[in-house]
Amino acid sequence: MRVGDAAQVVADRHGARVEAWDPADAERYWGVMVQPFLLDQVATAARARSELGWRPHRPSLLDELKQGA
């Protein structure tokens, strides 16, 4: 799951929009708080599934965000 995908789901639920910012402008506005978002982080459960045999049985984070959980 990409951070941008989660942001888009939340924006859609609240009638907002996700916009790209120039990184320098974003840093001037948000300061150091913007750094994690500039990394375009991706979270995956692939390693937990392959190494630990984890099999999720609940909705994904994106599904929960879509439902407003």
Side-chain angles (χ1 to χ4, degrees):
M1 182 194 80
R2 300 176 82 75
V3 171
D5 296 338
Q8 188 63 59
V9 168
V10 172
D12 290 347
R13 280 195 51 82
H14 296 282
R17 65 179 186 268
V18 174
E19 295 182 5
W21 277 20
D22 174 74
D25 291 340
E27 191 160 10
R28 276 192 293 279
Y29 186 82
W30 291 103
V32 296
M33 296 294 294
V34 78
Q35 292 301 320
F37 297 104
L38 294 176
L39 297 175
D40 195 26
Q41 302 172 55
V42 176
T44 177
R47 190 169 174 193
R49 290 176 189 195
S50 67
E51 294 181 18
L52 303 174
W54 179 62
R55 300 290 175 254
H57 61 278
R58 303 212 31 179
S60 70
L61 175 59
L62 285 179
D63 289 337
E64 288 210 10
L65 289 172
K66 288 176 187 175
Q67 297 170 9

